[in-house]
Amino acid sequence: MISSAVVMGLLGLAGTFIPEEISNVLGIDPSPITLILLQIIGGLYLGFAMLNWFTRSALIGGIYNKPVVLGNLIHCVVVFFALLRQLMEQFHFIIVIMTLVYLGFAIWFMLVMRSNPLRNQSKISV
């Protein structure tokens, strides 16, 4: 959760505070609608980063924090396929790196969702 929070936090800060520079690097016209969309996306990334950061020490897996894991899994899978599609159309080193990072997160969140965090713990008596 910590690595996911850090990556999403950095992307969120970049999208929020330097949308014009991001649009120039990506070769997108920095029109007002593009800039506001990049800031909105940055806000979404910051929200996910905060969610992941504050659940980093919670019990996760199986039925525990399932909405958090499922939201992250869906986000990572959708972004992975979007990046993969873009990579097939145009090869760019940054897209390759981001595709691999999102593939790693998607696999990790799938494993977390299918895991049982209580399997290796001893039974707790009340």
PDB file of all heavy atoms in Angstrom, residues 14-43:
ATOM      1  N   ALA A  14       1.853  16.014  -9.424  1.00  0.00           N
ATOM      2  CA  ALA A  14       2.253  16.512 -10.742  1.00  0.00           C
ATOM      3  C   ALA A  14       1.040  16.991 -11.536  1.00  0.00           C
ATOM      4  O   ALA A  14       1.062  18.082 -12.121  1.00  0.00           O
ATOM      5  CB  ALA A  14       2.992  15.418 -11.510  1.00  0.00           C
ATOM      6  N   GLY A  15      -0.011  16.195 -11.549  1.00  0.00           N
ATOM      7  CA  GLY A  15      -1.207  16.580 -12.297  1.00  0.00           C
ATOM      8  C   GLY A  15      -1.882  17.809 -11.728  1.00  0.00           C
ATOM      9  O   GLY A  15      -2.471  18.597 -12.458  1.00  0.00           O
ATOM     10  N   THR A  16      -1.788  17.990 -10.429  1.00  0.00           N
ATOM     11  CA  THR A  16      -2.441  19.125  -9.783  1.00  0.00           C
ATOM     12  C   THR A  16      -1.665  20.425  -9.977  1.00  0.00           C
ATOM     13  O   THR A  16      -2.247  21.471 -10.259  1.00  0.00           O
ATOM     14  CB  THR A  16      -2.610  18.849  -8.276  1.00  0.00           C
ATOM     15  OG1 THR A  16      -3.385  17.652  -8.124  1.00  0.00           O
ATOM     16  CG2 THR A  16      -3.321  19.985  -7.581  1.00  0.00           C
ATOM     17  N   PHE A  17      -0.347  20.350  -9.837  1.00  0.00           N
ATOM     18  CA  PHE A  17       0.440  21.578  -9.802  1.00  0.00           C
ATOM     19  C   PHE A  17       1.193  21.920 -11.086  1.00  0.00           C
ATOM     20  O   PHE A  17       1.562  23.072 -11.278  1.00  0.00           O
ATOM     21  CB  PHE A  17       1.417  21.531  -8.629  1.00  0.00           C
ATOM     22  CG  PHE A  17       0.731  21.564  -7.303  1.00  0.00           C
ATOM     23  CD1 PHE A  17       0.730  20.459  -6.477  1.00  0.00           C
ATOM     24  CD2 PHE A  17       0.047  22.700  -6.887  1.00  0.00           C
ATOM     25  CE1 PHE A  17       0.081  20.478  -5.253  1.00  0.00           C
ATOM     26  CE2 PHE A  17      -0.606  22.738  -5.673  1.00  0.00           C
ATOM     27  CZ  PHE A  17      -0.587  21.621  -4.856  1.00  0.00           C
ATOM     28  N   ILE A  18       1.438  20.956 -11.963  1.00  0.00           N
ATOM     29  CA  ILE A  18       2.151  21.271 -13.205  1.00  0.00           C
ATOM     30  C   ILE A  18       1.436  20.672 -14.435  1.00  0.00           C
ATOM     31  O   ILE A  18       2.048  19.995 -15.252  1.00  0.00           O
ATOM     32  CB  ILE A  18       3.631  20.817 -13.148  1.00  0.00           C
ATOM     33  CG1 ILE A  18       3.750  19.319 -12.824  1.00  0.00           C
ATOM     34  CG2 ILE A  18       4.426  21.650 -12.180  1.00  0.00           C
ATOM     35  CD1 ILE A  18       5.163  18.768 -12.989  1.00  0.00           C
ATOM     36  N   PRO A  19       0.143  20.951 -14.594  1.00  0.00           N
ATOM     37  CA  PRO A  19      -0.568  20.374 -15.738  1.00  0.00           C
ATOM     38  C   PRO A  19      -0.083  20.924 -17.084  1.00  0.00           C
ATOM     39  O   PRO A  19      -0.086  20.205 -18.086  1.00  0.00           O
ATOM     40  CB  PRO A  19      -2.024  20.746 -15.481  1.00  0.00           C
ATOM     41  CG  PRO A  19      -1.955  21.971 -14.639  1.00  0.00           C
ATOM     42  CD  PRO A  19      -0.733  21.791 -13.773  1.00  0.00           C
ATOM     43  N   GLU A  20       0.323  22.185 -17.109  1.00  0.00           N
ATOM     44  CA  GLU A  20       0.783  22.762 -18.375  1.00  0.00           C
ATOM     45  C   GLU A  20       2.071  22.097 -18.843  1.00  0.00           C
ATOM     46  O   GLU A  20       2.233  21.790 -20.027  1.00  0.00           O
ATOM     47  CB  GLU A  20       0.987  24.270 -18.227  1.00  0.00           C
ATOM     48  CG  GLU A  20       1.149  24.966 -19.544  1.00  0.00           C
ATOM     49  CD  GLU A  20       1.018  26.470 -19.416  1.00  0.00           C
ATOM     50  OE1 GLU A  20       0.284  26.936 -18.518  1.00  0.00           O
ATOM     51  OE2 GLU A  20       1.648  27.161 -20.222  1.00  0.00           O
ATOM     52  N   GLU A  21       2.987  21.857 -17.921  1.00  0.00           N
ATOM     53  CA  GLU A  21       4.250  21.201 -18.269  1.00  0.00           C
ATOM     54  C   GLU A  21       4.003  19.766 -18.717  1.00  0.00           C
ATOM     55  O   GLU A  21       4.643  19.273 -19.653  1.00  0.00           O
ATOM     56  CB  GLU A  21       5.219  21.229 -17.078  1.00  0.00           C
ATOM     57  CG  GLU A  21       5.776  22.606 -16.770  1.00  0.00           C
ATOM     58  CD  GLU A  21       4.830  23.490 -15.959  1.00  0.00           C
ATOM     59  OE1 GLU A  21       3.691  23.053 -15.650  1.00  0.00           O
ATOM     60  OE2 GLU A  21       5.216  24.631 -15.648  1.00  0.00           O
ATOM     61  N   ILE A  22       3.062  19.083 -18.057  1.00  0.00           N
ATOM     62  CA  ILE A  22       2.744  17.707 -18.446  1.00  0.00           C
ATOM     63  C   ILE A  22       2.162  17.678 -19.856  1.00  0.00           C
ATOM     64  O   ILE A  22       2.546  16.831 -20.669  1.00  0.00           O
ATOM     65  CB  ILE A  22       1.761  17.070 -17.439  1.00  0.00           C
ATOM     66  CG1 ILE A  22       2.451  16.850 -16.098  1.00  0.00           C
ATOM     67  CG2 ILE A  22       1.203  15.751 -17.967  1.00  0.00           C
ATOM     68  CD1 ILE A  22       1.526  16.406 -14.994  1.00  0.00           C
ATOM     69  N   SER A  23       1.271  18.596 -20.163  1.00  0.00           N
ATOM     70  CA  SER A  23       0.681  18.618 -21.507  1.00  0.00           C
ATOM     71  C   SER A  23       1.734  18.927 -22.566  1.00  0.00           C
ATOM     72  O   SER A  23       1.683  18.385 -23.666  1.00  0.00           O
ATOM     73  CB  SER A  23      -0.473  19.614 -21.581  1.00  0.00           C
ATOM     74  OG  SER A  23      -0.014  20.922 -21.378  1.00  0.00           O
ATOM     75  N   ASN A  24       2.707  19.784 -22.241  1.00  0.00           N
ATOM     76  CA  ASN A  24       3.781  20.067 -23.192  1.00  0.00           C
ATOM     77  C   ASN A  24       4.662  18.843 -23.418  1.00  0.00           C
ATOM     78  O   ASN A  24       5.049  18.551 -24.557  1.00  0.00           O
ATOM     79  CB  ASN A  24       4.633  21.246 -22.709  1.00  0.00           C
ATOM     80  CG  ASN A  24       3.901  22.562 -22.810  1.00  0.00           C
ATOM     81  OD1 ASN A  24       3.000  22.726 -23.631  1.00  0.00           O
ATOM     82  ND2 ASN A  24       4.262  23.508 -21.952  1.00  0.00           N
ATOM     83  N   VAL A  25       4.983  18.104 -22.343  1.00  0.00           N
ATOM     84  CA  VAL A  25       5.813  16.901 -22.475  1.00  0.00           C
ATOM     85  C   VAL A  25       5.087  15.835 -23.296  1.00  0.00           C
ATOM     86  O   VAL A  25       5.700  15.155 -24.116  1.00  0.00           O
ATOM     87  CB  VAL A  25       6.194  16.349 -21.077  1.00  0.00           C
ATOM     88  CG1 VAL A  25       6.774  14.951 -21.172  1.00  0.00           C
ATOM     89  CG2 VAL A  25       7.173  17.276 -20.387  1.00  0.00           C
ATOM     90  N   LEU A  26       3.785  15.723 -23.095  1.00  0.00           N
ATOM     91  CA  LEU A  26       3.007  14.721 -23.825  1.00  0.00           C
ATOM     92  C   LEU A  26       2.644  15.168 -25.235  1.00  0.00           C
ATOM     93  O   LEU A  26       2.081  14.401 -26.003  1.00  0.00           O
ATOM     94  CB  LEU A  26       1.728  14.385 -23.043  1.00  0.00           C
ATOM     95  CG  LEU A  26       1.933  13.720 -21.689  1.00  0.00           C
ATOM     96  CD1 LEU A  26       0.607  13.539 -20.987  1.00  0.00           C
ATOM     97  CD2 LEU A  26       2.654  12.394 -21.851  1.00  0.00           C
ATOM     98  N   GLY A  27       2.932  16.410 -25.567  1.00  0.00           N
ATOM     99  CA  GLY A  27       2.622  16.909 -26.900  1.00  0.00           C
ATOM    100  C   GLY A  27       1.149  17.213 -27.092  1.00  0.00           C
ATOM    101  O   GLY A  27       0.631  17.138 -28.202  1.00  0.00           O
ATOM    102  N   ILE A  28       0.472  17.562 -26.000  1.00  0.00           N
ATOM    103  CA  ILE A  28      -0.948  17.885 -26.039  1.00  0.00           C
ATOM    104  C   ILE A  28      -1.096  19.402 -25.972  1.00  0.00           C
ATOM    105  O   ILE A  28      -0.373  20.069 -25.243  1.00  0.00           O
ATOM    106  CB  ILE A  28      -1.687  17.233 -24.852  1.00  0.00           C
ATOM    107  CG1 ILE A  28      -1.500  15.728 -24.861  1.00  0.00           C
ATOM    108  CG2 ILE A  28      -3.165  17.574 -24.883  1.00  0.00           C
ATOM    109  CD1 ILE A  28      -1.992  15.059 -23.599  1.00  0.00           C
ATOM    110  N   ASP A  29      -2.051  19.922 -26.734  1.00  0.00           N
ATOM    111  CA  ASP A  29      -2.325  21.354 -26.692  1.00  0.00           C
ATOM    112  C   ASP A  29      -2.788  21.746 -25.288  1.00  0.00           C
ATOM    113  O   ASP A  29      -3.786  21.207 -24.800  1.00  0.00           O
ATOM    114  CB  ASP A  29      -3.392  21.706 -27.718  1.00  0.00           C
ATOM    115  CG  ASP A  29      -3.725  23.186 -27.719  1.00  0.00           C
ATOM    116  OD1 ASP A  29      -2.800  24.002 -27.524  1.00  0.00           O
ATOM    117  OD2 ASP A  29      -4.913  23.513 -27.906  1.00  0.00           O
ATOM    118  N   PRO A  30      -2.082  22.679 -24.613  1.00  0.00           N
ATOM    119  CA  PRO A  30      -2.482  23.057 -23.250  1.00  0.00           C
ATOM    120  C   PRO A  30      -3.678  24.011 -23.226  1.00  0.00           C
ATOM    121  O   PRO A  30      -3.594  25.135 -22.736  1.00  0.00           O
ATOM    122  CB  PRO A  30      -1.221  23.706 -22.680  1.00  0.00           C
ATOM    123  CG  PRO A  30      -0.496  24.234 -23.855  1.00  0.00           C
ATOM    124  CD  PRO A  30      -0.830  23.314 -25.009  1.00  0.00           C
ATOM    125  N   SER A  31      -4.792  23.542 -23.760  1.00  0.00           N
ATOM    126  CA  SER A  31      -6.008  24.357 -23.736  1.00  0.00           C
ATOM    127  C   SER A  31      -6.572  24.348 -22.309  1.00  0.00           C
ATOM    128  O   SER A  31      -6.217  23.493 -21.500  1.00  0.00           O
ATOM    129  CB  SER A  31      -7.033  23.793 -24.717  1.00  0.00           C
ATOM    130  OG  SER A  31      -7.467  22.521 -24.283  1.00  0.00           O
ATOM    131  N   PRO A  32      -7.446  25.288 -21.990  1.00  0.00           N
ATOM    132  CA  PRO A  32      -8.016  25.333 -20.636  1.00  0.00           C
ATOM    133  C   PRO A  32      -8.714  24.033 -20.224  1.00  0.00           C
ATOM    134  O   PRO A  32      -8.606  23.608 -19.090  1.00  0.00           O
ATOM    135  CB  PRO A  32      -9.008  26.495 -20.699  1.00  0.00           C
ATOM    136  CG  PRO A  32      -8.478  27.378 -21.781  1.00  0.00           C
ATOM    137  CD  PRO A  32      -7.860  26.448 -22.783  1.00  0.00           C
ATOM    138  N   ILE A  33      -9.407  23.375 -21.153  1.00  0.00           N
ATOM    139  CA  ILE A  33     -10.099  22.134 -20.812  1.00  0.00           C
ATOM    140  C   ILE A  33      -9.093  21.018 -20.522  1.00  0.00           C
ATOM    141  O   ILE A  33      -9.289  20.214 -19.610  1.00  0.00           O
ATOM    142  CB  ILE A  33     -11.113  21.722 -21.904  1.00  0.00           C
ATOM    143  CG1 ILE A  33     -12.014  20.581 -21.421  1.00  0.00           C
ATOM    144  CG2 ILE A  33     -10.428  21.316 -23.184  1.00  0.00           C
ATOM    145  CD1 ILE A  33     -13.001  20.994 -20.384  1.00  0.00           C
ATOM    146  N   THR A  34      -7.995  20.960 -21.263  1.00  0.00           N
ATOM    147  CA  THR A  34      -6.959  19.960 -21.012  1.00  0.00           C
ATOM    148  C   THR A  34      -6.332  20.176 -19.645  1.00  0.00           C
ATOM    149  O   THR A  34      -6.113  19.218 -18.895  1.00  0.00           O
ATOM    150  CB  THR A  34      -5.876  20.028 -22.106  1.00  0.00           C
ATOM    151  OG1 THR A  34      -6.489  19.842 -23.380  1.00  0.00           O
ATOM    152  CG2 THR A  34      -4.817  18.974 -21.896  1.00  0.00           C
ATOM    153  N   LEU A  35      -6.041  21.429 -19.326  1.00  0.00           N
ATOM    154  CA  LEU A  35      -5.411  21.727 -18.045  1.00  0.00           C
ATOM    155  C   LEU A  35      -6.332  21.385 -16.876  1.00  0.00           C
ATOM    156  O   LEU A  35      -5.875  20.814 -15.872  1.00  0.00           O
ATOM    157  CB  LEU A  35      -4.989  23.193 -17.995  1.00  0.00           C
ATOM    158  CG  LEU A  35      -3.942  23.619 -19.022  1.00  0.00           C
ATOM    159  CD1 LEU A  35      -3.620  25.097 -18.877  1.00  0.00           C
ATOM    160  CD2 LEU A  35      -2.689  22.781 -18.898  1.00  0.00           C
ATOM    161  N   ILE A  36      -7.614  21.694 -16.989  1.00  0.00           N
ATOM    162  CA  ILE A  36      -8.522  21.385 -15.886  1.00  0.00           C
ATOM    163  C   ILE A  36      -8.732  19.879 -15.766  1.00  0.00           C
ATOM    164  O   ILE A  36      -8.832  19.355 -14.647  1.00  0.00           O
ATOM    165  CB  ILE A  36      -9.866  22.139 -16.010  1.00  0.00           C
ATOM    166  CG1 ILE A  36     -10.641  22.095 -14.682  1.00  0.00           C
ATOM    167  CG2 ILE A  36     -10.731  21.578 -17.101  1.00  0.00           C
ATOM    168  CD1 ILE A  36     -10.033  22.856 -13.579  1.00  0.00           C
ATOM    169  N   LEU A  37      -8.755  19.158 -16.883  1.00  0.00           N
ATOM    170  CA  LEU A  37      -8.871  17.705 -16.817  1.00  0.00           C
ATOM    171  C   LEU A  37      -7.641  17.075 -16.162  1.00  0.00           C
ATOM    172  O   LEU A  37      -7.768  16.134 -15.374  1.00  0.00           O
ATOM    173  CB  LEU A  37      -9.104  17.112 -18.202  1.00  0.00           C
ATOM    174  CG  LEU A  37     -10.512  17.295 -18.768  1.00  0.00           C
ATOM    175  CD1 LEU A  37     -10.590  16.798 -20.210  1.00  0.00           C
ATOM    176  CD2 LEU A  37     -11.535  16.594 -17.904  1.00  0.00           C
ATOM    177  N   LEU A  38      -6.457  17.590 -16.473  1.00  0.00           N
ATOM    178  CA  LEU A  38      -5.242  17.087 -15.817  1.00  0.00           C
ATOM    179  C   LEU A  38      -5.266  17.377 -14.321  1.00  0.00           C
ATOM    180  O   LEU A  38      -4.830  16.545 -13.515  1.00  0.00           O
ATOM    181  CB  LEU A  38      -3.993  17.690 -16.458  1.00  0.00           C
ATOM    182  CG  LEU A  38      -3.586  17.097 -17.803  1.00  0.00           C
ATOM    183  CD1 LEU A  38      -2.459  17.910 -18.430  1.00  0.00           C
ATOM    184  CD2 LEU A  38      -3.163  15.647 -17.636  1.00  0.00           C
ATOM    185  N   GLN A  39      -5.803  18.527 -13.930  1.00  0.00           N
ATOM    186  CA  GLN A  39      -5.905  18.841 -12.507  1.00  0.00           C
ATOM    187  C   GLN A  39      -6.946  17.958 -11.817  1.00  0.00           C
ATOM    188  O   GLN A  39      -6.753  17.530 -10.678  1.00  0.00           O
ATOM    189  CB  GLN A  39      -6.224  20.317 -12.313  1.00  0.00           C
ATOM    190  CG  GLN A  39      -5.038  21.200 -12.635  1.00  0.00           C
ATOM    191  CD  GLN A  39      -5.348  22.672 -12.486  1.00  0.00           C
ATOM    192  OE1 GLN A  39      -6.455  23.110 -12.771  1.00  0.00           O
ATOM    193  NE2 GLN A  39      -4.360  23.430 -12.041  1.00  0.00           N
ATOM    194  N   ILE A  40      -8.032  17.659 -12.495  1.00  0.00           N
ATOM    195  CA  ILE A  40      -9.045  16.759 -11.939  1.00  0.00           C
ATOM    196  C   ILE A  40      -8.462  15.356 -11.759  1.00  0.00           C
ATOM    197  O   ILE A  40      -8.651  14.720 -10.719  1.00  0.00           O
ATOM    198  CB  ILE A  40     -10.302  16.738 -12.828  1.00  0.00           C
ATOM    199  CG1 ILE A  40     -11.035  18.081 -12.722  1.00  0.00           C
ATOM    200  CG2 ILE A  40     -11.226  15.573 -12.461  1.00  0.00           C
ATOM    201  CD1 ILE A  40     -12.146  18.249 -13.733  1.00  0.00           C
ATOM    202  N   ILE A  41      -7.745  14.890 -12.761  1.00  0.00           N
ATOM    203  CA  ILE A  41      -7.106  13.579 -12.663  1.00  0.00           C
ATOM    204  C   ILE A  41      -6.076  13.579 -11.539  1.00  0.00           C
ATOM    205  O   ILE A  41      -5.954  12.605 -10.785  1.00  0.00           O
ATOM    206  CB  ILE A  41      -6.466  13.189 -14.015  1.00  0.00           C
ATOM    207  CG1 ILE A  41      -7.567  12.940 -15.045  1.00  0.00           C
ATOM    208  CG2 ILE A  41      -5.582  11.961 -13.872  1.00  0.00           C
ATOM    209  CD1 ILE A  41      -7.062  12.838 -16.472  1.00  0.00           C
ATOM    210  N   GLY A  42      -5.347  14.685 -11.399  1.00  0.00           N
ATOM    211  CA  GLY A  42      -4.394  14.803 -10.295  1.00  0.00           C
ATOM    212  C   GLY A  42      -5.086  14.712  -8.948  1.00  0.00           C
ATOM    213  O   GLY A  42      -4.591  14.073  -8.014  1.00  0.00           O
ATOM    214  N   GLY A  43      -6.257  15.337  -8.839  1.00  0.00           N
ATOM    215  CA  GLY A  43      -7.023  15.251  -7.601  1.00  0.00           C
ATOM    216  C   GLY A  43      -7.485  13.831  -7.312  1.00  0.00           C
ATOM    217  O   GLY A  43      -7.472  13.381  -6.160  1.00  0.00           O
TER     218      GLY A  43
END
